[in-house]
Amino acid sequence: MTKIYSVMQIVLPVAAMLLIGMYARKRQFITAQGVDDIKALLSNVCIPAMMFSTFYAAQFNSSAAILILSMVVFTIAAWFLGAAFQKLLHIPQPLAPYLCTSIEGGMMGYALFILLFGQENLYYMALLDLGNALIVFPFFLTKLRMREQTPGASRSPLRELATPINLAIVLGLAVNLTGLGSRLSVSAIGPVVDASLSFLSAPMSALILLVVGYGLVFKDIQWSETFKTIAARLAIFAVFGVAFYQMFSRAYPEETILRYATIMAFLLPPTFMYSVTVKNEKDGAYIGSVLAVYTLLSLAGYGALAWLAAPM
């Protein structure tokens, strides 16, 4: 019974915020513009504060570069495998390969991971997401925008990568690697900085889950295309997820939290930035269908992970 209550402490708040988001959309006491404003607050303030806090005084080890590079290779490979599955399963949507790669760390994964393992253990999860972001933001999102714009109207890959979240990560790494982070953390002002960053990032989990719930729309889902795409993604992520789990377990047997971070990363849906980027109504409906169904599958997997990680 103790384990059941431990899991309920994690899962029920998540379910409650998702339901509140769905109810807010139905009753329209939060408008679509309001949700966009919340997303802007998260992307420009809350998540960058958390990312800087995660990296500026972290103790780096040899695993950091390996994790980032592993996710870079996986993100690229998954796109090509998605293209192969698109032909194999006769998926008529040209965007299928994009939905077979990428993970939604910032707008979902971080919140769920923190609820289960605490912000102090976000380090490995953030590294895996960083490897994903290095490919998704400058290349995949740019490629999607170029489908609807002339090449001259597209933003450069460098500008695509220069988001507040990524800049916060880079700044945190720079402060860390120069030694300023360790000196700052043990100085008299260190607790003030930590408290300020913690306060700025505190609303993140609840707001992200509210936004995710608001976006769960199951009306007019394109079931055939959606299920084929989800099946392809599940196959790709299952194979790579198991392979990475085994590889990291053998390379770093003492890092239990890394194994949990790997499971969490490979449970997540595709990045929600796809739905923001694509303007075509047909493409948007297809992406929305896949994201809605896969998000529910991810949450079910998260419940299983919470049960696995909960104390007896």
Side-chain angles (χ1 to χ4, degrees):
M1 291 297 291
T2 302
K3 188 167 186 175
I4 293 176
Y5 288 132
S6 297
V7 174
M8 289 174 63
Q9 289 176 9
I10 300 298
V11 174
L12 287 184
V14 172
M17 286 308 301
L18 291 172
L19 290 173
I20 290 172
M22 295 173 72
Y23 184 75
R25 185 193 69 249
K26 182 177 180 180
R27 289 296 186 181
Q28 286 295 298
F29 63 78
I30 298 179
T31 64
Q33 180 60 51
V35 170
D36 288 341
D37 292 339
I38 294 174
K39 290 179 180 179
L41 175 67
L42 288 166
S43 298
N44 291 289
V45 179
C46 299
I47 298 176
M50 181 194 62
M51 287 292 92
F52 181 81
S53 177
T54 298
F55 285 105
Y56 91 96
Q59 297 295 318
F60 284 104
N61 52 42
S62 60
S63 64
I66 294 175
L67 295 184
I68 293 173
L69 181 60
S70 296
M71 283 302 291
V72 166
V73 172
F74 161 72
T75 304
I76 297 171
W79 191 93
F80 284 103
L81 289 171
F85 270 109
Q86 179 189 7
K87 295 179 180 178
L88 179 65
L89 299 177
H90 304 291
I91 303 173
Q93 282 287 346
L95 300 187
Y98 296 91
L99 293 167
C100 289
T101 187
S102 82
I103 59 173
E104 185 43 75
M107 293 296 287
M108 182 174 173
Y110 294 156
L112 295 179
F113 196 83
I114 288 172
L115 285 173
L116 192 53
F117 300 107
Q119 183 172 332
E120 68 277 6
N121 289 315
L122 189 64
Y123 172 76
Y124 287 124
M125 180 70 207
L127 288 175
L128 292 172
D129 185 55
L130 177 58
N132 164 78
L134 287 173
I135 301 300
V136 172
F137 280 89
F139 300 111
F140 290 167
L141 293 182
T142 298
K143 188 174 176 65
L144 281 178
R145 287 191 176 95
M146 288 176 65
R147 295 180 74 250
E148 302 177 3
Q149 300 176 350
T150 61
S154 304
R155 299 204 308 173
S156 69
L158 183 60
R159 290 188 63 190
E160 288 291 342
L161 195 59
T163 65
I165 296 173
N166 289 337
L167 290 175
I169 294 173
V170 171
L171 181 60
L173 290 171
V175 171
N176 187 305
L177 295 175
T178 57
L180 293 176
S182 58
R183 290 197 291 270
L184 178 62
S185 63
V186 298
S187 68
I189 200 174
V192 178
V193 173
D194 289 339
S196 299
L197 293 171
S198 178
F199 184 81
L200 289 173
S201 60
M204 189 193 74
S205 296
L207 289 178
I208 287 177
L209 292 170
L210 176 71
V211 170
V212 171
Y214 192 97
L216 290 178
V217 181
F218 299 96
K219 182 177 65 176
D220 300 329
I221 284 183
Q222 305 167 25
W223 291 110
S224 176
E225 297 173 1
T226 297
F227 281 143
K228 287 180 180 180
T229 305
I230 288 175
R233 180 181 172 90
L234 286 173
I236 295 168
F237 272 63
V239 171
F240 276 92
V242 171
F244 278 21
Y245 184 91
Q246 294 294 332
M247 180 176 68
F248 296 152
S249 297
R250 292 172 183 172
Y252 312 104
E254 72 286 353
E255 299 291 350
T256 303
I257 199 66
L258 172 55
R259 295 197 287 274
Y260 286 133
T262 303
I263 296 173
M264 184 77 249
F266 281 85
L267 284 175
L268 293 172
T271 176
F272 296 160
M273 286 300 297
Y274 289 155
S275 62
V276 176
T277 303
V278 172
K279 305 303 180 184
N280 179 278
E281 185 176 349
K282 182 180 178 181
D283 291 343
Y286 166 66
I287 289 175
S289 297
V290 174
L291 289 179
V293 176
Y294 206 98
T295 297
L296 286 188
L297 293 176
S298 298
L299 291 171
Y302 176 73
L305 178 60
W307 177 268
L308 178 66
M312 298 296 293

